[in-house]
Amino acid sequence: MRAAERRVGRRRAPQRARSGLLSVVVTLLCVAGVIGWLAVRDGGSVMPGYAAGPVAMLAAFLACRRIGSLIVVPRPIRAFWRQMSHSALCIGIGAVASLAVAGNDPGLSPSVAVPILLGVVMSALAFLRLPFDRRSWVRLAQLLLDGATVAVAGGLIYWYIVLDLADPSISATTRGGALVVGVGSLISLIFIGRVAMSPASTVDSLSLRILAVPPLVAVGTTVLLIAGGYTGRLVVSVLGVPLVGAAMALAAYRQQVVLARPAAVRAAPAARSVYDALPLVAVVATAAMVIAVAARQLGSQQRVVIIGAVLIAAFAATRQLLGLRDNDRLLVGIRRQQAELERLAMHDPLTGLANRARFGTVLAERLDAHRPAGVLLIDIDDFKTVNDTMGHAVGDQLLFEVAQRLRNHGTVSHLPSRLGGDEFAVLLDVDDAEGAEEAATGILAALAVPFRVGEHHLLAHASMGVALAGPGDSADEVLRNADIAMYAAKAAGKACWARFEPRMRQEVVNHARLGSELHNAIIRHELHLQYQPVFDIVTGRIAGAEALVRWRHPARGNVSPVEFIPVAERSGLIVPLGSWVLREACEQLSRWQFEYGAASIQSINVNVSARQLREAGFVDEVAAVLSDARLMPANLVLEVTESSVLDGRQVRDTLQALHEMGVRLALDDFGTGQSSLSLLRAFPVDVLKLDKSFVDGICDGEDRGRLAVAAAVAQLAEYLDLYAVAEGIESAEQMERLRTMGYRLGQGYHMAKPLHPDEMAAMMAKAARVAQVAQAVTAA
């Protein structure tokens, strides 16, 4: 990728990684600062040691909250990290309370224990909110029994061993606070293990392992706070909270790194038998305590019975641990399959972006939560040309590069996706028009940088629709609004964006209704043709005529072609409509030639669209129509626009086949496109039709540019041995000026408006009578 592409394309992932890494660095500096303070401390106040705790937890809170606010990640992951941010906030409050007390007394005071215990509960709730296999009452019962086992064993160990080692002067309240926090931390390890081992787990496996550090730190801290000496209590008091903050920040950073990877390379979580073994360890520890108690208070026979019972329990526990290995292997395979299925279900296989299903799900979630949402719908302009000229492999690579540009250009609040084909979408976390328009402008600028695809440098301009979610809008409605705006952008000239406005929806409804009525009009024969003569402006004789379709609606009256032709193009009705026009015009020419002979026009001009030219059987259709009408190929002139010629290889092949058949081809609206001159080298053209915009004002003398273009087209046609036709002649002065430039053919309202077939017949009949009189005079 070139330097320009790197500047445009690689913004979002590094920014996200840097922000997460900053939190990790802050927490590690807090840990290092506490260790350094402990190393150099020589009496005095302990308050500096406690100061690092609130700072570390603030950094951890921001790191977790950052992931919880992203719309680019699945909803369960967002909810998990938001809940973890709440846990960090509660523990941070406890750290502030510790700083306020700044003592080194044994145990935990209620002002410190309550918020920390609340943080432990929040952490456990975060794990419970993650999806895991709890659909049956058996699974739920197993989870509750494991928690109860660890809670009872932990409570017994604290009561029988830890509290027994404590100084009797420690108050029951502070000892109880430490005991509750310690046992609660042990229970949270059960939740971590169950969620981590579940095939439905969505959080990164290494992040979950890192999040097991805070409960372990809490257990060790509470033990030393009860049974430790002065130095041990001080170390865990000032170092415990920074270590917890560092672990939470590091876990969040790891999750960000994983989310930044394509979905295909994200690994499924590995099995964690150590968590599943925790209840068994609790059983063994309790059994050891039973033996110790029995050794003190029971006789020899009773001791043997107790020891035997404990050994049986230990053997059963050991066997259960050995069986976990096979279970782990099965779970790893299940998780890998599930990860692959989720990737296929929610991600596009070509680009790695979210697919339509995931995009719709995330958008619906935001709307249900009444959160701001905007949609950018992006369609690559003329992408079919790339596929037709360079092959589908290059086209697929271009789509991949576009996806990379979208992924790397946006901010962390953007969700890029590929909806299908060459259509992309970006979900924005905005509810104001200014923010959405700024994002649209930025993305268009990013896509305007040329793409390096293999050996090619390609431009991929795009048309974009912008839509903001309104009150009560559904996901389908927002997407539909963006789609309507995108087509408005294409109609405005492509390579731009348009923001949805309510009037656009009414226009679409009107177009759909008009399309339905047009379909019925073709069936009911409500359409008819008018013919605008093409004159020899030197002799004044009729040289041909252009067939123009007209619609007489039974209720609306005459409907302008400006209204229904675009509807026909968009709906696909242009194909049957164009077929009817072609056959009707050729049959009419055949009737005129049969009736008026040499006085009849010798050719008829018919407009054809790119959609017709893309039809596989169009050449055969033209040949069949000419044969049925008993016309020669030279009697037909097909008018095409420059955009039609540039529509792809299939269109060019069709035009070449028509030219080889003998059908004449006219390039309509010549001079208005960007590739007019280059087209003459590749396009088998016979007629150039100068666009009306160059004829207007040609006699005023003020617009020398129009004069120059009109004169250049006449000379170009002469040099290339082509016919040049001037369109839109509306005055005698214009016709005279064009005649002096070298134009031989012209059409316009000055000479004749579009005429009914009978009116055209009358003109040809008059021309026949004039020819007869002239022939009689010549004979006399």
Side-chain angles (χ1 to χ4, degrees):
M1 184 177 289
R2 297 174 304 161
E5 295 176 354
R6 287 195 295 268
R7 287 193 299 269
V8 175
R10 294 184 178 176
R11 298 177 183 173
R12 186 175 64 174
Q15 289 175 353
R16 184 190 302 172
R18 284 196 297 269
S19 61
L21 185 59
L22 179 61
S23 297
V24 175
V25 171
V26 170
T27 56
L28 292 179
L29 287 176
C30 290
V31 173
V34 171
I35 294 175
W37 176 80
L38 289 171
V40 301
R41 178 180 176 273
D42 187 15
S45 174
V46 297
M47 181 173 289
Y50 285 96
V55 177
M57 293 314 302
L58 177 61
F61 167 78
L62 295 176
C64 297
R65 190 67 182 176
R66 187 178 299 111
I67 303 178
S69 64
L70 297 179
I71 65 174
V72 297
V73 299
R75 185 176 184 178
I77 298 180
R78 295 202 309 271
F80 173 82
W81 288 105
R82 279 200 302 269
Q83 193 72 28
M84 289 302 299
S85 70
H86 299 159
S87 174
L89 184 61
C90 292
I91 298 174
I93 293 173
V96 172
S98 297
L99 177 62
V101 175
N104 192 26
D105 298 329
L108 278 177
S109 65
S111 62
V112 178
V114 170
I116 290 180
L117 180 61
L118 186 58
V120 173
V121 173
M122 290 286 185
S123 175
L125 291 177
F127 282 94
L128 284 176
R129 293 185 66 173
L130 284 176
F132 67 97
D133 190 7
R134 51 182 173 184
R135 290 172 293 182
S136 67
W137 68 270
V138 175
R139 295 292 187 187
L140 184 59
Q142 287 178 340
L143 179 62
L144 294 176
L145 287 173
D146 286 345
T149 301
V150 173
V152 172
L156 289 174
I157 293 173
Y158 270 89
W159 174 74
Y160 187 74
I161 298 177
V162 179
L163 295 182
D164 188 59
L165 299 175
D167 189 337
S169 63
I170 301 176
S171 67
T173 302
T174 56
R175 284 186 297 177
L179 185 148
V180 172
V181 171
V183 174
S185 300
L186 285 174
I187 296 174
S188 68
L189 287 174
I190 293 296
F191 295 130
I192 295 176
R194 283 301 180 189
V195 173
M197 293 181 63
S198 171
S201 179
T202 54
V203 177
D204 174 64
S205 61
L206 182 55
S207 295
L208 291 176
R209 285 199 295 269
I210 296 173
L211 288 175
V213 172
L216 294 175
V217 171
V219 171
T221 300
T222 55
V223 170
L224 290 177
L225 285 176
I226 297 175
Y230 180 86
T231 302
R233 290 198 307 271
L234 179 62
V235 171
V236 297
S237 297
V238 298
L239 194 57
V241 174
L243 284 175
V244 171
M248 296 180 74
L250 184 60
Y253 173 67
R254 164 66 185 182
Q255 181 70 74
Q256 285 183 328
V257 171
V258 173
L259 291 174
R261 298 174 183 171
V265 301
R266 296 180 191 169
R272 299 172 184 82
S273 59
V274 63
Y275 296 112
D276 207 30
L278 194 58
L280 301 178
V281 173
V283 172
V284 173
T286 305
M289 286 199 317
V290 170
I291 294 176
V293 172
R296 293 181 182 178
Q297 302 178 1
L298 300 178
S300 59
Q301 292 182 340
Q302 290 86 352
R303 293 175 190 171
V304 172
V305 173
I306 295 297
I307 293 173
V310 169
L311 287 176
I312 291 174
F315 295 154
T318 304
R319 184 183 183 282
Q320 187 72 14
L321 285 173
L322 293 176
L324 289 176
R325 184 175 182 181
D326 292 335
N327 293 339
D328 290 344
R329 292 176 180 175
L330 293 175
L331 287 174
V332 169
I334 291 174
R335 293 189 190 107
R336 288 175 178 172
Q337 292 176 5
Q338 182 194 21
E340 180 65 15
L341 290 175
E342 289 180 353
R343 185 186 69 82
L344 294 175
M346 291 297 181
H347 292 84
D348 175 58
L350 175 63
T351 63
L353 296 181
N355 60 9
R356 181 181 291 272
R358 185 184 174 198
F359 186 87
T361 300
V362 176
L363 176 58
E365 289 175 356
R366 293 193 66 80
L367 296 178
D368 292 342
H370 304 289
R371 302 181 65 186
V375 171
L376 307 181
L377 194 65
I378 306 164
D379 187 83
I380 307 302
D381 295 331
D382 304 318
F383 177 73
K384 186 176 183 299
T385 303
V386 176
N387 273 343
D388 290 343
T389 57
M390 299 184 180
H392 289 275
V394 174
D396 288 348
Q397 183 62 29
L398 177 60
L399 292 177
F400 178 81
E401 295 296 334
V402 169
Q404 293 297 104
R405 198 74 60 87
L406 291 177
R407 177 186 287 114
N408 296 329
H409 173 77
T411 66
V412 295
S413 61
H414 293 183
L415 173 62
S417 66
R418 182 189 178 208
L419 303 186
D422 60 337
E423 191 174 69
F424 295 84
V426 178
L427 178 58
L428 307 177
D429 186 12
V430 299
D431 57 0
D432 62 293
E434 183 179 353
E437 293 171 2
E438 182 180 353
T441 302
I443 289 178
L444 285 182
L447 295 179
V449 178
F451 291 86
R452 178 67 179 270
V453 180
E455 299 178 353
H456 307 283
H457 288 79
L458 303 177
L459 285 174
H461 295 299
S463 298
M464 186 184 305
V466 181
L468 297 176
D473 285 347
S474 66
D476 288 339
E477 288 172 335
V478 178
L479 272 173
R480 184 164 59 249
N481 293 343
D483 188 59
I484 292 172
M486 185 268 291
Y487 277 105
K490 283 189 175 293
K494 301 181 180 181
C496 63
W497 59 264
R499 185 161 61 89
F500 173 78
E501 298 177 5
R503 62 171 179 81
M504 294 180 179
R505 184 185 293 114
Q506 187 59 42
E507 292 175 357
V508 171
V509 172
N510 292 338
H511 278 207
R513 183 183 299 114
L514 192 62
S516 176
E517 294 175 353
L518 180 59
H519 177 269
N520 295 332
I522 297 173
I523 298 175
R524 297 171 183 171
H525 306 290
E526 296 175 4
L527 303 172
H528 65 280
L529 295 183
Q530 291 184 348
Y531 300 87
Q532 184 171 30
V534 178
F535 288 90
D536 186 324
I537 61 176
V538 175
T539 64
R541 296 178 180 177
I542 303 177
E546 180 180 356
L548 302 172
V549 63
R550 296 292 184 262
W551 181 10
R552 187 180 300 107
H553 194 279
R556 302 185 186 186
N558 291 326
V559 182
S560 171
V562 177
E563 295 184 45
F564 70 82
I565 292 299
V567 173
E569 289 274 6
R570 188 169 179 177
S571 64
L573 289 173
I574 194 67
V575 174
L577 176 61
S579 297
W580 176 83
V581 171
L582 176 64
R583 182 168 293 276
E584 179 68 19
C586 289
E587 290 177 352
Q588 182 63 68
L589 177 61
S590 179
R591 289 192 293 269
W592 284 336
Q593 289 187 347
F594 176 78
E595 186 172 353
Y596 300 106
S600 169
I601 60 174
Q602 298 303 307
S603 63
I604 193 76
N605 292 28
V606 177
N607 291 279
V608 294
S609 69
R611 186 73 174 266
Q612 290 175 268
L613 296 172
R614 287 199 297 268
E615 293 292 314
F618 183 71
V619 176
D620 295 335
E621 179 185 356
V622 171
V625 169
L626 292 174
S627 176
D628 294 343
R630 295 186 177 88
L631 295 178
M632 299 297 294
N635 296 131
L636 178 61
V637 180
L638 295 181
E639 296 190 11
V640 297
T641 60
E642 295 176 13
S643 60
S644 298
V645 178
L646 296 173
D647 195 70
R649 181 182 302 171
Q650 184 176 355
V651 170
R652 292 199 300 273
D653 292 344
T654 299
L655 292 174
Q656 186 64 41
L658 291 169
H659 182 71
E660 293 174 355
M661 183 195 300
V663 175
R664 291 186 290 167
L665 303 176
L667 198 56
D668 199 11
D669 301 331
F670 186 76
T672 58
Q674 299 179 355
S675 308
S676 300
L677 297 180
S678 63
L679 282 178
L680 300 181
R681 300 176 57 187
F683 174 57
V685 64
D686 300 285
V687 181
L688 297 181
K689 300 193 72 174
L690 179 68
D691 187 71
K692 182 180 182 297
S693 62
F694 296 103
V695 177
D696 293 338
I698 199 173
C699 297
D700 297 341
E702 298 180 358
D703 193 341
R704 298 182 61 84
R706 292 180 180 177
L707 288 171
V709 172
V713 171
Q715 295 178 8
L716 187 64
E718 181 181 355
Y719 293 151
L720 297 178
D721 195 22
L722 306 175
Y723 291 99
V725 181
E727 296 183 288
I729 302 175
E730 297 182 353
S731 67
E733 292 80 5
Q734 290 178 348
M735 185 173 67
E736 181 60 29
R737 191 63 178 269
L738 290 167
R739 187 187 297 122
T740 58
M741 287 183 179
Y743 284 89
R744 184 66 184 262
L745 302 175
Q747 64 184 107
Y749 278 23
H750 171 65
M751 294 166 285
K753 296 181 179 181
L755 304 173
H756 189 273
D758 294 341
E759 295 174 313
M760 279 290 298
M763 292 184 66
M764 283 182 274
K766 181 179 179 180
R769 290 194 298 271
V770 171
Q772 290 175 358
V773 171
Q775 186 176 7
V777 170
T778 302

